[in-house]
Amino acid sequence: MVGAPIELLQRVPLFQGLDRGELEQVARLFKERHFSQGETVVMEGSGGAAFFVIASGEAMVAVGAAERPALKAGDYFGEIALIDQGSRSATVTAASDLLCYGLTFWEFRPLVEGSGVIAWKLLESLAKKLRSAQAD
Amino acid sequence: MNEVLPLSEAHDTSLFGSKAVGLGEATRAGLSVPPGIALSGTLVEAVASGEEVAVARLVQLAENLSLPLAVRSSAVDEDGAEASFAGQHLTLLNVPSPAELPSAVRDIWWSANSDSAITYRQRVGLFTRPSVGVVVQSLLNPDVAGVMFTQNPVTGADERVIEGSWGLGEAVVNGTVIPDHFRMDRAGRVLERIPGLKRVAIRALPNGGTVEEPVPAEDVERFCLDDLQLEKLSQLALRCEQVYGPARDIEWAIADGTVYLLQCRAVTRTGR
């Protein structure tokens, strides 16, 4: 199979609103990546290379010493560092063996630039995170 | 181009990366190099994406290699990339069969696209899409292995510096042991021998992966290289300089009495 399963991407809020053909195009860009239980997936403060969608397993999230809600199948992470080319805003650790599909910056940026639907969903997600951060 | 070729046919660094082409050059020059194949950066990308045609081509060509396999990155991007990215890109030793190669190749692709690799690229002003070739070779089961500089990397002196230890050379490269240290002049005369502390040897496991095996007490400080082996390494140094030019950083292994070249790159820094 090339790229990520369509059924997985259909569950990802970021890609809801894309038709089947668009989803197939997006799916082809992804590459599979496995992380073992306990492995650090991304480290807060380090540079960011990829955006990930979780296909199976769970991941723990921490910002500084504060734990954030765990991530599970269908959740995504890693987009913020790709947008501003800054450092990772959280540490994500595999709570179980984790199967992800990832896009690097070089696929992610043209994808967002090319799809108003995805860009708007991304803005909604970022606005939600901003409000959540302001409420903390 | 979407290519996978026997190492001896790898000529173009812009397709296969400097490690693959360097080993191809060594093979064509008649040096002992473990048999292998070179995957172009685009083929690696296609295999990492799960493209069936690319995966099938890779597995088919790898079936001619004796098992197990060693899978190493061969950075395509720019001159000196191998040295620049040493430690950033993954090496997978003891991949048990061709069927496991696609997963190994994908892991290497991700190592070139990892957060740490990209952070490094940003720091050195190389924020461009990485391209990584891959070399797949039969994995040796060496008695002894290590590194050799054809010019002293610390003082710049015109002499060979050899470091060796028991088993796979990763024990030396990764700093797992204090290796035996030798200095030789160009004529092959030994100038200095300092025994190391080689408490473990890295060996291949039957079902893949490697293990750090304890070294028998009597071998911990016993020299891992005798005069004949040192002479063969001196000859290898000379041949590498003839093929590649002066000041080389060599990875070598000795298995069944044969000295093999695993990698040869330019020394990146000398004391001069």
Side-chain angles (χ1 to χ4, degrees), chain B residues 26-41:
Chain B
T27 305
R28 293 189 291 276
L31 289 162
S32 290
V33 174
I37 55 177
L39 284 61
S40 69

Side-chain angles (χ1 to χ4, degrees), chain B residues 104-122:
Chain B
V105 167
R106 190 173 58 231
D107 286 346
I108 287 181
W109 186 90
W110 272 115
S111 75
N113 286 277
S114 66
D115 281 1
S116 60
I118 295 299
T119 303
Y120 175 78
R121 296 178 75 87
Q122 283 175 316

Side-chain angles (χ1 to χ4, degrees), chain B residues 110-160:
Chain B
W110 272 115
S111 75
N113 286 277
S114 66
D115 281 1
S116 60
I118 295 299
T119 303
Y120 175 78
R121 296 178 75 87
Q122 283 175 316
R123 201 168 59 235
V124 298
L126 281 173
F127 193 58
T128 53
R129 187 186 195 107
S131 179
V132 61
V134 163
V135 173
V136 180
Q137 287 176 289
S138 296
L139 178 68
L140 300 173
N141 182 19
D143 308 311
V144 54
V147 298
M148 172 165 62
F149 297 92
T150 65
Q151 177 186 340
N152 191 314
V154 177
T155 65
D158 184 23
E159 62 186 17
R160 319 304 195 193

Side-chain angles (χ1 to χ4, degrees), chain A residues 5-135:
Chain A
I6 302 286
E7 299 69 32
L8 170 66
L9 298 188
Q10 282 173 328
R11 293 167 55 193
V12 178
L14 195 58
F15 301 123
Q16 282 167 7
L18 297 182
D19 65 29
R20 177 96 190 171
E22 288 168 326
L23 271 177
E24 282 174 359
Q25 282 185 338
V26 172
R28 285 178 175 276
L29 300 174
F30 280 87
K31 291 183 177 64
E32 190 178 317
R33 187 162 188 196
H34 295 258
F35 297 94
S36 302
Q37 183 177 11
E39 195 174 344
T40 301
V41 179
V42 301
M43 173 78 80
E44 184 177 356
S46 79
F51 157 84
F52 292 102
V53 174
I54 298 177
S56 66
E58 278 200 357
M60 297 177 290
V61 183
V63 178
E67 283 190 20
R68 296 294 164 103
L71 300 172
K72 57 189 185 313
D75 289 336
Y76 62 88
F77 60 93
E79 72 282 12
I80 293 174
L82 295 195
I83 291 169
D84 67 359
Q85 292 175 46
S87 54
R88 293 294 194 191
S89 57
T91 295
V92 177
T93 308
S96 63
D97 285 350
L98 199 61
L99 170 60
C100 295
Y101 288 87
L103 289 179
T104 66
F105 171 81
W106 289 276
E107 290 98 24
F108 183 76
R109 181 170 178 163
L111 175 68
V112 176
E113 286 178 339
S115 168
V117 172
I118 293 174
W120 184 255
K121 295 276 183 189
L122 203 53
L123 280 172
E124 285 180 335
S125 150
L126 291 173
K128 193 173 166 186
K129 283 180 179 171
L130 182 62
R131 285 189 186 281
S132 168
Q134 285 171 335

Side-chain angles (χ1 to χ4, degrees), chain B residues 20 37 52 63 70 78 121 140 154 158 162 206 214 226 268:
Chain B
I37 55 177
E52 286 176 11
E63 275 171 357
E78 55 280 317
R121 296 178 75 87
L140 300 173
V154 177
D158 184 23
I162 298 168
D226 60 26
T268 50

